[in-house]
Amino acid sequence: MGFRFEILLTVGLGLSLPAQAENNQWVVLHAVTAPLPDRNEMIQIQLLEDQTESLDPDARVGNIGAPANPRPRKVRITLDDKPNPPGGRIWEFQAPSLTYPDDPCTVVLGPELAVKRNIVTVSFDYQFACGAGASTIVTHRFAVKGQTLSLRTLRFYSASRDGVGTTLIDFRKGSMTRSFDRPEDTSPGKPIRRRFAPYKAAINPQSFLQCPFPVNIGKVPSCSDKKQP
């Protein structure tokens, strides 16, 4: 399993974006901007990092030697509708740090940011960088409609030497689909589907760190690898 620790600085259609300081504390590491179809509005997603804390260049994480970086991070989604006063909307979310001070093995890569039409996608890759290694990619997909932001789907993709598992939660349809394929399986296993009443998942600053119903049993990504009743 390969590991990638570079943070790309991109905006729009692959254009380079220099790191930008914000109030001498938060620095923009990554940004993507795209127009909403048929509307005079733009959607921008940014990954920001609080760089007031100095880093120890000798601190490493896991047996792959990833540089330790426990600085706080956040994701900002902005709907810019300047042609239509009074202005746009901003949603901010706490994001996992690249590494954790009390965890010698977990490295959180990303996030991967994307905008397609009115759909905003944010994916974090939680890698257990010790021993044989394992990875869980957590993907939030939001929809921007008018002045509101709603969570449409939540997807977990986990890979380890035990196998590959996927959990997809669709809040609009009220469905959760789970599958797990082991290396020794001769054919893909049958997905397990569960229904629940469709609902609007709450959006708050902790949304990237908590597991919503029907997997509300802990912190991301632990909610993807435990059985549900």
PDB file of all heavy atoms in Angstrom, residues 166 176-181 188-194:
ATOM      1  N   THR A 166     -16.828  -1.572   2.212  1.00  0.00           N
ATOM      2  CA  THR A 166     -17.453  -0.319   1.800  1.00  0.00           C
ATOM      3  C   THR A 166     -18.772  -0.143   2.541  1.00  0.00           C
ATOM      4  O   THR A 166     -19.546  -1.089   2.656  1.00  0.00           O
ATOM      5  CB  THR A 166     -17.708  -0.289   0.282  1.00  0.00           C
ATOM      6  OG1 THR A 166     -16.487  -0.465  -0.424  1.00  0.00           O
ATOM      7  CG2 THR A 166     -18.332   1.033  -0.138  1.00  0.00           C
ATOM      8  N   MET A 176     -28.622   2.296   3.778  1.00  0.00           N
ATOM      9  CA  MET A 176     -27.226   2.041   4.090  1.00  0.00           C
ATOM     10  C   MET A 176     -26.852   0.699   3.489  1.00  0.00           C
ATOM     11  O   MET A 176     -27.518  -0.305   3.723  1.00  0.00           O
ATOM     12  CB  MET A 176     -26.985   2.034   5.600  1.00  0.00           C
ATOM     13  CG  MET A 176     -25.526   1.776   5.966  1.00  0.00           C
ATOM     14  SD  MET A 176     -25.161   2.021   7.733  1.00  0.00           S
ATOM     15  CE  MET A 176     -26.069   0.643   8.453  1.00  0.00           C
ATOM     16  N   THR A 177     -25.776   0.690   2.699  1.00  0.00           N
ATOM     17  CA  THR A 177     -25.319  -0.524   2.032  1.00  0.00           C
ATOM     18  C   THR A 177     -23.909  -0.846   2.485  1.00  0.00           C
ATOM     19  O   THR A 177     -23.026   0.015   2.425  1.00  0.00           O
ATOM     20  CB  THR A 177     -25.349  -0.359   0.502  1.00  0.00           C
ATOM     21  OG1 THR A 177     -26.654   0.029   0.093  1.00  0.00           O
ATOM     22  CG2 THR A 177     -24.963  -1.658  -0.186  1.00  0.00           C
ATOM     23  N   ARG A 178     -23.708  -2.088   2.946  1.00  0.00           N
ATOM     24  CA  ARG A 178     -22.394  -2.536   3.404  1.00  0.00           C
ATOM     25  C   ARG A 178     -21.943  -3.725   2.582  1.00  0.00           C
ATOM     26  O   ARG A 178     -22.742  -4.591   2.215  1.00  0.00           O
ATOM     27  CB  ARG A 178     -22.440  -2.948   4.880  1.00  0.00           C
ATOM     28  CG  ARG A 178     -22.634  -1.824   5.880  1.00  0.00           C
ATOM     29  CD  ARG A 178     -22.634  -2.402   7.298  1.00  0.00           C
ATOM     30  NE  ARG A 178     -22.800  -1.402   8.320  1.00  0.00           N
ATOM     31  CZ  ARG A 178     -21.805  -0.720   8.881  1.00  0.00           C
ATOM     32  NH1 ARG A 178     -20.564  -0.937   8.484  1.00  0.00           N
ATOM     33  NH2 ARG A 178     -22.043   0.165   9.821  1.00  0.00           N
ATOM     34  N   SER A 179     -20.639  -3.771   2.319  1.00  0.00           N
ATOM     35  CA  SER A 179     -20.054  -4.938   1.659  1.00  0.00           C
ATOM     36  C   SER A 179     -18.647  -5.149   2.190  1.00  0.00           C
ATOM     37  O   SER A 179     -17.996  -4.203   2.656  1.00  0.00           O
ATOM     38  CB  SER A 179     -20.018  -4.743   0.138  1.00  0.00           C
ATOM     39  OG  SER A 179     -19.165  -3.666  -0.213  1.00  0.00           O
ATOM     40  N   PHE A 180     -18.180  -6.407   2.135  1.00  0.00           N
ATOM     41  CA  PHE A 180     -16.823  -6.722   2.572  1.00  0.00           C
ATOM     42  C   PHE A 180     -16.329  -7.916   1.759  1.00  0.00           C
ATOM     43  O   PHE A 180     -16.975  -8.962   1.708  1.00  0.00           O
ATOM     44  CB  PHE A 180     -16.770  -7.049   4.066  1.00  0.00           C
ATOM     45  CG  PHE A 180     -15.362  -7.162   4.590  1.00  0.00           C
ATOM     46  CD1 PHE A 180     -14.631  -6.022   4.901  1.00  0.00           C
ATOM     47  CD2 PHE A 180     -14.758  -8.404   4.733  1.00  0.00           C
ATOM     48  CE1 PHE A 180     -13.332  -6.115   5.363  1.00  0.00           C
ATOM     49  CE2 PHE A 180     -13.452  -8.506   5.203  1.00  0.00           C
ATOM     50  CZ  PHE A 180     -12.738  -7.363   5.516  1.00  0.00           C
ATOM     51  N   ASP A 181     -15.201  -7.729   1.104  1.00  0.00           N
ATOM     52  CA  ASP A 181     -14.610  -8.775   0.274  1.00  0.00           C
ATOM     53  C   ASP A 181     -13.241  -9.138   0.820  1.00  0.00           C
ATOM     54  O   ASP A 181     -12.380  -8.269   0.988  1.00  0.00           O
ATOM     55  CB  ASP A 181     -14.484  -8.298  -1.185  1.00  0.00           C
ATOM     56  CG  ASP A 181     -15.840  -7.992  -1.803  1.00  0.00           C
ATOM     57  OD1 ASP A 181     -16.769  -8.794  -1.606  1.00  0.00           O
ATOM     58  OD2 ASP A 181     -15.968  -6.949  -2.472  1.00  0.00           O
ATOM     59  N   PRO A 188     -17.331 -11.761  -5.255  1.00  0.00           N
ATOM     60  CA  PRO A 188     -17.729 -10.690  -4.332  1.00  0.00           C
ATOM     61  C   PRO A 188     -18.899 -11.108  -3.455  1.00  0.00           C
ATOM     62  O   PRO A 188     -19.826 -11.792  -3.908  1.00  0.00           O
ATOM     63  CB  PRO A 188     -18.123  -9.544  -5.271  1.00  0.00           C
ATOM     64  CG  PRO A 188     -17.410  -9.835  -6.553  1.00  0.00           C
ATOM     65  CD  PRO A 188     -17.357 -11.323  -6.659  1.00  0.00           C
ATOM     66  N   GLY A 189     -18.844 -10.718  -2.179  1.00  0.00           N
ATOM     67  CA  GLY A 189     -19.940 -11.023  -1.276  1.00  0.00           C
ATOM     68  C   GLY A 189     -21.182 -10.215  -1.586  1.00  0.00           C
ATOM     69  O   GLY A 189     -21.118  -9.146  -2.206  1.00  0.00           O
ATOM     70  N   LYS A 190     -22.316 -10.691  -1.144  1.00  0.00           N
ATOM     71  CA  LYS A 190     -23.571  -9.995  -1.386  1.00  0.00           C
ATOM     72  C   LYS A 190     -23.681  -8.802  -0.449  1.00  0.00           C
ATOM     73  O   LYS A 190     -23.526  -8.946   0.767  1.00  0.00           O
ATOM     74  CB  LYS A 190     -24.748 -10.941  -1.160  1.00  0.00           C
ATOM     75  CG  LYS A 190     -26.097 -10.310  -1.488  1.00  0.00           C
ATOM     76  CD  LYS A 190     -27.221 -11.312  -1.290  1.00  0.00           C
ATOM     77  CE  LYS A 190     -28.572 -10.671  -1.613  1.00  0.00           C
ATOM     78  NZ  LYS A 190     -29.684 -11.648  -1.429  1.00  0.00           N
ATOM     79  N   PRO A 191     -23.924  -7.608  -0.966  1.00  0.00           N
ATOM     80  CA  PRO A 191     -24.050  -6.432  -0.094  1.00  0.00           C
ATOM     81  C   PRO A 191     -25.213  -6.586   0.876  1.00  0.00           C
ATOM     82  O   PRO A 191     -26.243  -7.188   0.561  1.00  0.00           O
ATOM     83  CB  PRO A 191     -24.307  -5.291  -1.086  1.00  0.00           C
ATOM     84  CG  PRO A 191     -23.812  -5.791  -2.406  1.00  0.00           C
ATOM     85  CD  PRO A 191     -24.061  -7.267  -2.395  1.00  0.00           C
ATOM     86  N   ILE A 192     -25.057  -6.021   2.069  1.00  0.00           N
ATOM     87  CA  ILE A 192     -26.105  -6.001   3.074  1.00  0.00           C
ATOM     88  C   ILE A 192     -26.734  -4.619   3.073  1.00  0.00           C
ATOM     89  O   ILE A 192     -26.041  -3.609   3.231  1.00  0.00           O
ATOM     90  CB  ILE A 192     -25.543  -6.328   4.468  1.00  0.00           C
ATOM     91  CG1 ILE A 192     -24.924  -7.734   4.467  1.00  0.00           C
ATOM     92  CG2 ILE A 192     -26.632  -6.224   5.527  1.00  0.00           C
ATOM     93  CD1 ILE A 192     -24.229  -8.075   5.767  1.00  0.00           C
ATOM     94  N   ARG A 193     -28.050  -4.577   2.875  1.00  0.00           N
ATOM     95  CA  ARG A 193     -28.756  -3.303   2.796  1.00  0.00           C
ATOM     96  C   ARG A 193     -29.673  -3.126   4.000  1.00  0.00           C
ATOM     97  O   ARG A 193     -30.335  -4.068   4.440  1.00  0.00           O
ATOM     98  CB  ARG A 193     -29.564  -3.201   1.497  1.00  0.00           C
ATOM     99  CG  ARG A 193     -28.686  -3.105   0.260  1.00  0.00           C
ATOM    100  CD  ARG A 193     -29.514  -2.978  -1.012  1.00  0.00           C
ATOM    101  NE  ARG A 193     -28.676  -2.725  -2.170  1.00  0.00           N
ATOM    102  CZ  ARG A 193     -28.077  -3.673  -2.883  1.00  0.00           C
ATOM    103  NH1 ARG A 193     -28.234  -4.947  -2.533  1.00  0.00           N
ATOM    104  NH2 ARG A 193     -27.328  -3.362  -3.925  1.00  0.00           N
ATOM    105  N   ARG A 194     -29.706  -1.915   4.496  1.00  0.00           N
ATOM    106  CA  ARG A 194     -30.554  -1.569   5.619  1.00  0.00           C
ATOM    107  C   ARG A 194     -31.307  -0.296   5.284  1.00  0.00           C
ATOM    108  O   ARG A 194     -30.741   0.634   4.709  1.00  0.00           O
ATOM    109  CB  ARG A 194     -29.714  -1.373   6.884  1.00  0.00           C
ATOM    110  CG  ARG A 194     -30.505  -0.873   8.085  1.00  0.00           C
ATOM    111  CD  ARG A 194     -29.589  -0.563   9.256  1.00  0.00           C
ATOM    112  NE  ARG A 194     -30.290   0.117  10.325  1.00  0.00           N
ATOM    113  CZ  ARG A 194     -29.723   0.651  11.385  1.00  0.00           C
ATOM    114  NH1 ARG A 194     -28.413   0.573  11.529  1.00  0.00           N
ATOM    115  NH2 ARG A 194     -30.432   1.258  12.307  1.00  0.00           N
TER     116      ARG A 194
END
